[in-house]
Amino acid sequence: MAFGAALHGLGLYIKHGETEGREVSEIIAAHEKGEGGKLQKTLPVYEAVFEMAIKTLPNPRDAQAYRIEKIWDGHIESQIGKALVECSDEGPTVFCVTNVHSDSDGGTVAVGRLFSGKVQKGNRLHLVDALAETVVKQAAIDMGSFREEVNWIPAGNLASLTLTGEVKAGETLVDLDHKAEMVPFESISYVSETRCKPWQLNPKIPKISPFLLEEIEKLASEDPNLKVVGDRKNWRILAQRDGRATFRSCY
């Protein structure tokens, strides 16, 4: 658990009730006395969050050794399977997209984990589900609200790839040399179920319908639980999770 205040930039990592000699009551008292600046220097919030993550979350090489067979249906003993289990930089490039958004230049930014291999600007990758190709325009690491471009990204890292064309959340990317034998990752699932109410859209101005659909399609590409089916004259928004679906026609 991390105790603190992001507003004032101070925090304390607490493990099994231990606070490394600092009592929470003392910190509160010091803050009330206006000593927030001093606390920010001695107990910066980023250290508390980092400490919590580092000591709690397993590193990629340990985690992939037992997680791959639970999220990937391919053969573990294959070349790709071994590279995924070992989180190998020297294996095929395999990237799983978990989130998609547009950048200021209108490009597609795919956020996800690089499970195997390396990726860098200029790489050509295959979209396993879409059966299409894309080019990496930029490889970057997210630093809070900022994105820092890097020369290349090794296996095990969470990264943001600016890509050409359209890419949807849940997509699996692989280098062109291994596209024939690559099996996509399982679809993203959640512990809780989606709760949604049936609804219908009736634009007052019919001519805006194509623009509305365009925006809905963007949302669907960013969220794997949303799907848009049908044509531009008769289309539906489909919200689906765990095999159950709720949808309404929109005109």
Side-chain angles (χ1 to χ4, degrees):
M1 179 177 66
F3 170 85
L7 176 62
H8 301 289
L10 62 93
L12 178 67
Y13 172 61
I14 303 174
K15 183 178 181 181
H16 304 308
E18 301 176 358
T19 60
E20 299 181 356
R22 302 299 293 268
E23 293 294 335
V24 174
S25 58
E26 295 177 6
I27 297 173
I28 295 176
H31 186 265
E32 291 177 343
K33 292 179 181 178
E35 299 177 357
K38 180 179 178 181
L39 291 174
Q40 186 175 1
K41 293 180 180 179
T42 58
L43 297 171
V45 66
Y46 67 85
E47 284 191 0
V49 176
F50 284 166
E51 195 75 8
M52 183 170 56
I54 292 170
K55 292 187 176 180
T56 304
L57 302 177
N59 68 70
R61 284 193 168 86
D62 290 342
Q64 288 186 203
Y66 62 84
R67 282 290 295 161
I68 290 300
E69 62 181 354
K70 295 180 175 63
I71 62 175
W72 188 66
D73 292 330
H75 297 292
I76 297 297
E77 296 302 320
S78 65
Q79 179 189 6
I80 294 177
K82 290 180 179 178
L84 292 174
V85 170
E86 296 171 1
C87 190
S88 173
D89 294 346
E90 305 305 321
T93 299
V94 178
F95 187 86
C96 182
V97 180
T98 55
N99 182 266
V100 175
H101 61 272
S102 299
D103 64 7
S104 57
D105 297 327
T108 300
V109 179
V111 182
R113 180 183 290 278
L114 182 64
F115 282 89
S116 171
K118 301 175 184 177
V119 66
Q120 61 185 14
K121 181 179 179 179
N123 284 164
R124 300 186 67 86
L125 302 175
H126 177 72
L127 282 64
V128 177
D129 292 330
L131 298 177
E133 290 186 12
T134 185
V135 178
V136 180
K137 297 169 60 179
Q138 182 190 76
I141 298 293
D142 288 331
M143 301 290 185
S145 59
F146 301 97
R147 213 164 56 234
E148 182 174 339
E149 184 176 4
V150 294
N151 293 329
W152 61 281
I153 297 171
N157 279 281
L158 300 176
S160 293
L161 305 181
T162 303
L163 306 170
T164 59
E166 295 184 0
V167 181
K168 294 185 177 181
E171 180 65 84
T172 299
L173 308 181
V174 64
D175 59 65
L176 302 185
D177 292 336
H178 298 86
K179 67 179 185 179
E181 61 265 31
M182 183 59 197
V183 176
F185 284 92
E186 293 184 0
S187 59
I188 300 173
S189 60
Y190 303 86
V191 176
S192 59
E193 295 182 16
T194 301
R195 297 293 180 183
C196 55
K197 295 171 60 177
W199 51 275
Q200 180 172 322
L201 293 178
N202 294 289
K204 292 183 179 181
I205 305 175
K207 67 180 181 180
I208 73 169
S209 293
F211 302 101
L212 178 61
L213 177 56
E214 182 178 346
E215 294 303 315
I216 293 296
E217 288 175 336
K218 288 182 180 179
L219 289 176
S221 68
E222 297 173 2
D223 189 341
N225 298 301
L226 296 177
K227 291 181 175 62
V228 179
V229 296
D231 54 35
R232 290 184 176 270
K233 292 183 179 180
N234 182 16
W235 53 278
R236 297 174 295 172
I237 301 173
L238 177 66
Q240 182 174 359
R241 185 172 289 175
D242 298 333
R244 292 179 288 277
T246 300
F247 61 86
R248 278 287 181 181
S249 295
C250 300
Y251 304 96

